[in-house]
């Protein structure tokens, strides 16, 4: 798979979608209903662990992120892939 982007560009894109770390330089980002964990010091970013924090709003956010950033989403438990 292609990298998701350089770390700085990746963080900048997510910040426009209300998703960012609590403090600059942290590897955990928070958005509406979700938490994203970036691999420490990886540049470019190749994968992100996304965790649902509030299911009521998370899926709308996840689908918007996936559409805007051209992400493919995979459930690691079932192996099922979702491409919006």
């Amino acid at each position: 798979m292609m990298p998701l982007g350089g770390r700085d560009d990746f963080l900048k894109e997510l910040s426009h979608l209300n998703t960012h770390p609590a403090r600059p330089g942290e590897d955990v980002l928070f958005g509406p209903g979700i938490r994203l964990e970036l691999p420490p010091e990886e540049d470019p970013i190749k994968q992100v662990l996304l965790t649902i924090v509030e299911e009521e709003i998370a899926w709308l956010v996840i689908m918007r992120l996936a559409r805007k950033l051209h992400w493919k989403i995979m459930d690691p438990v079932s192996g099922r892939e979702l491409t919006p």
Side-chain angles (χ1 to χ4, degrees):
M1 288 194 312
M2 298 288 296
L4 298 171
R7 192 174 193 87
D8 291 339
D9 291 335
F10 185 75
L11 292 171
K12 184 177 180 180
E13 282 187 74
L14 287 173
S15 73
H16 295 298
L17 297 167
N18 196 25
T19 303
H20 43 79
R23 282 177 249 137
E26 291 186 346
D27 296 324
V28 178
L29 290 73
F30 298 93
I34 62 170
R35 182 178 73 219
L36 301 173
E37 295 178 49
L38 306 179
E41 301 177 23
E42 182 174 88
D43 196 0
I45 302 294
K46 296 178 186 149
Q47 63 181 354
V48 175
L49 177 63
L50 185 148
T51 304
I52 294 174
V53 178
E54 292 180 50
E55 194 158 350
E56 299 81 32
I57 60 173
W59 282 107
L60 292 173
V61 174
I62 292 168
M63 296 307 287
R64 182 172 183 220
L65 287 171
R67 262 193 251 86
K68 282 195 152 280
L69 302 175
H70 309 287
W71 288 0
K72 178 171 43 173
I73 301 167
M74 186 189 88
D75 178 353
V77 174
S78 69
R80 200 175 92 201
E81 291 182 3
L82 173 65
T83 306

